[in-house]
Amino acid sequence: MSSLSGIFSKENVKEEKVFQPEPYSNPYLVGVGLGLVLLAAFVIMGRGLGASGAASTVVAVTVSKVAPEHASKNNFYKEYLTDGTTNPLKDWLVFEVIGVAVGGFLSGTLAHRIKRTIEKGPNISNRMRLIYAFTGGAIMGFGAKLARGCTSGQALTGGALLNLGSWAFMFAVFAGGYLTAYFFRRQWL
Amino acid sequence: MMPYYKFDYFSFDFSLVVAFIIGIGFGFALERGGFGNARILAAQFYFYNMRVLKVMFTAIITAMLGLFYFSWIGWLDLSLIYLTDTYILPQIIGGLLLGIGFVIGGYCPGTSVVSASTGRYDGMMYLAGMFFGIFVFGEIFPLIESFYNSTPMGRITLPEFLGLSHGMIVFLVVLMALGAFAAAEWSEKVMTKKLGREKE
Amino acid sequence: MKCPVEKLSLNKRLALITLLLGIIALFIGNPNNKNTIKVNAKELALSTIKDQDKISVLQLAEWIIEGRSDFTLVDLRNEKLFNKYSIPSAVNIPVENLLDSDLMRNEKILLFGDDDITSAQAWFILKSANYKNVYILKGGLNEWKDKILYPKLSENATAEEKNNFEKVKQISLHFGGTPQIVSGTTTNVIQNVQTPSAPKIVQPPAGNLKNVPKKKREGC
């Protein structure tokens, strides 16, 4: 039996007296909920959601701590650092992403889905999966900066705003994924 | 008048509180959708579980319709909402890279945060990788800066680019999304049968 | 047991609502047209007559010295001129970039150009774009130069004028200006002997002024 269905099917109830993870919610309802959160960001702040921007701030701050001279010469880092009057980590996206972690944990706790585990297909070792995760993260971090945003900042936010570049970006993401999915099927199927 | 922050209804410091609360909502929704789980996210690219597409497009049309009607009623000044400038070529190349990274890593930046906070080690590794990727980008930025700034098109939206009315584009996006949902339901049915899995 | 029909119908209901909203949107067309703005002409005309939207250079000078930070001073001239000289604490936003700037709708904005003309036009643009507190520096930079940087006092001035001049002199010196006493054709320059030239931009004491915030990134 594949491990994917194990999560959802009720036949796999273990004997241990633990709470079973609840099935994930109806995707369309979740979508409406996510859309309302996004709308709230637009209405209250006049801006959308983001994720990779917060990571960029952290990277830029770290680099400037280690090598301030080096960071101040680099236009990319400079964009995420302030002029010294305020702490660059006191940033909207940084606080938002901290909220994302808390919100995810909260939801996971309520649905008994917190689990120390590695998500992977049955045909790949844990070690390989972690290497893949790191590699994928690196490629995505790079790509997100090149595209000026990730799935949250570009696809979701820009998509709702009907931003031309965001829609081009979104189709490129799906294209990139579907074109290469075949080569990495061992990891997931 | 919305957006409130742009009309100075509250200070920058308070906006950070707003950020935290909105972040909680964002993380909560992502987790509910199953986006803290790499297998569900990756399944999108093998057609047997289309949650990514469903959640994403539903969220996009919800927010899009909200923006459209709020600004029609006159509550919201749409021109005040931050819109990223379009640089078409770097964005397409970046998008392709993101898609490849998505299949390899199993997450995108936002979902990896949820994954890590719900205990997934692969999510934590992904986060580490993302920091590394951004660091590499930052280090070679001087070399690729001209490409990064190439093909600028400024602040431009689909209605402006296509010369159609805003409402027309909204309608077309809704149609496209509904079509995509129907296709997604169908492909899930076919693929789960083919892969010998149960439909969720 | 979960009823699959009920679940399905919820999705279909959602789809139906969405489709309806989409079709209505099609008929609405454009929810707001950015190029046409509603203007309360009467209100605008009235505030023009009352002169209540004008701030004198002396007033501004005092504000800067006091370190007041509740307003944003906007230099509307081009970047080249701005870099050459501008009033301390001013931010440079050329008129054409005004609507794309980071100025907040409720923030107190004080505009100036070389004279009153540019700032009056900019005032109108901002007012019609729903900015609430927009003010004009009366006389613009020319008046700033005349009254603050190079204030003149004729020799046969009255006692009251002399008294006023003492005050202006202090202000002028604060901004690195050169107050002058004019007698007939010769001009006696106080403190500085050289002919008046644009002074270097003098930064007032640290902590005295609002730190002009860097453009905040808002993207992902």
Side-chain angles (χ1 to χ4, degrees), chain A residues 100-179:
Chain A
V100 170
V102 173
F105 182 77
L106 217 65
S107 165
T109 309
L110 290 175
H112 315 296
R113 282 195 289 255
I114 307 278
K115 197 177 166 196
R116 289 178 186 278
T117 180
I118 295 172
E119 301 291 351
K120 62 180 184 65
N123 301 319
I124 188 171
S125 68
N126 283 347
R127 192 164 156 269
M128 275 317 281
R129 167 69 190 119
L130 290 182
I131 292 173
Y132 272 131
F134 186 88
T135 315
I139 295 174
M140 229 153 161
F142 190 93
K145 286 303 102 189
L146 191 60
R148 294 173 163 78
C150 56
T151 21
S152 346
Q154 283 285 6
L156 209 55
T157 303
L161 291 168
L162 302 174
N163 191 345
L164 172 69
S166 301
W167 279 84
F169 166 85
M170 204 188 317
F171 285 116
V173 172
F174 279 112
Y178 280 114
L179 286 175

Side-chain angles (χ1 to χ4, degrees), chain B residues 14 42 130 151 163 178:
Chain B
F14 187 73
M130 186 179 67
T151 57
L178 292 181

Side-chain angles (χ1 to χ4, degrees), chain C:
Chain C
M1 192 187 120
K2 246 187 215 153
C3 177
V5 181
E6 197 186 317
K7 211 177 167 188
L8 206 70
S9 68
L10 170 69
N11 289 352
K12 289 217 164 125
R13 256 179 280 160
L14 280 177
L16 203 68
I17 295 169
T18 316
L19 189 64
L20 258 167
L21 287 172
I23 292 172
I24 299 171
L26 183 61
F27 288 105
I28 291 175
N30 285 315
N32 61 348
N33 196 340
K34 263 188 267 172
N35 299 322
T36 55
I37 329 165
K38 270 187 224 154
V39 172
N40 188 337
K42 195 167 182 187
E43 190 194 312
L44 286 186
L46 275 177
S47 61
T48 314
I49 293 170
K50 283 186 195 153
D51 234 16
Q52 62 191 11
D53 291 337
K54 306 228 169 75
I55 304 286
S56 73
V57 288
L58 211 61
Q59 180 90 67
L60 173 65
E62 278 167 8
W63 284 357
I64 296 177
I65 292 169
E66 283 168 17
R68 272 180 70 166
S69 59
D70 59 339
F71 65 99
T72 304
L73 185 60
V74 177
D75 188 341
L76 297 164
R77 302 168 309 149
N78 63 36
E79 207 184 324
K80 215 173 132 196
L81 290 170
F82 175 79
N83 287 333
K84 222 164 141 196
Y85 177 77
S86 190
I87 301 175
S89 85
V91 286
N92 184 217
I93 306 174
V95 187
E96 63 269 27
N97 302 339
L98 213 48
L99 290 177
D100 302 325
S101 68
D102 296 325
L103 294 171
M104 295 282 202
R105 294 297 200 271
N106 282 8
E107 133 183 58
K108 197 167 171 180
I109 301 163
L110 179 51
L111 303 166
F112 72 90
D114 273 326
D115 47 34
D116 276 347
I117 296 168
T118 333
S119 40
Q121 287 163 338
W123 179 87
F124 195 83
I125 292 172
L126 288 182
K127 272 289 190 187
S128 56
N130 222 346
Y131 285 81
K132 306 282 182 235
N133 299 310
V134 192
Y135 298 87
I136 291 174
L137 182 67
K138 214 170 160 186
L141 198 63
N142 289 339
E143 183 135 329
W144 173 267
K145 283 180 179 163
D146 278 352
K147 290 228 168 109
I148 304 294
L149 295 182
Y150 314 115
K152 293 183 183 72
L153 181 76
S154 59
E155 218 158 43
N156 46 3
T158 62
E160 197 194 347
E161 277 173 343
K162 273 182 186 151
N163 200 15
N164 280 342
F165 187 71
E166 274 311 302
K167 197 175 141 207
V168 172
K169 206 171 86 182
Q170 291 312 315
I171 292 174
S172 179
L173 293 176
H174 177 93
F175 289 103
T178 43
Q180 303 144 29
I181 292 169
V182 185
S183 56
T185 49
T186 56
T187 305
N188 291 326
V189 172
I190 297 174
Q191 193 198 43
N192 286 336
V193 193
Q194 80 248 55
T195 46
S197 61
K200 283 179 202 141
I201 298 171
V202 179
Q203 288 303 330
N208 215 4
L209 277 173
K210 176 186 182 180
N211 289 311
V212 178
K214 218 181 82 162
K215 186 174 167 60
K216 271 260 162 247
R217 283 175 308 104
E218 292 186 275
C220 179

Side-chain angles (χ1 to χ4, degrees), chain A residues 1-86:
Chain A
M1 197 61 216
S2 75
S3 50
L4 180 91
S5 56
I7 280 204
F8 306 112
S9 63
K10 290 192 171 162
E11 290 83 60
N12 275 20
V13 175
K14 286 177 195 156
E15 297 305 316
E16 304 162 50
K17 208 182 171 199
V18 288
F19 287 109
Q20 277 305 296
E22 290 170 18
Y24 293 115
S25 317
N26 176 336
Y28 299 110
L29 288 182
V30 172
V32 171
L34 186 56
L36 291 177
V37 172
L38 180 59
L39 189 60
F42 285 139
V43 159
I44 300 172
M45 291 301 300
R47 59 183 292 170
L49 302 167
S52 60
S56 315
T57 308
V58 174
V59 169
V61 168
T62 312
V63 170
S64 78
K65 281 272 172 351
V66 177
E69 186 79 354
H70 175 67
S72 66
K73 275 190 206 133
N74 186 308
N75 284 337
F76 173 71
Y77 295 137
K78 259 200 311 209
E79 205 189 319
Y80 292 94
L81 299 169
T82 47
D83 46 8
T85 51
T86 51

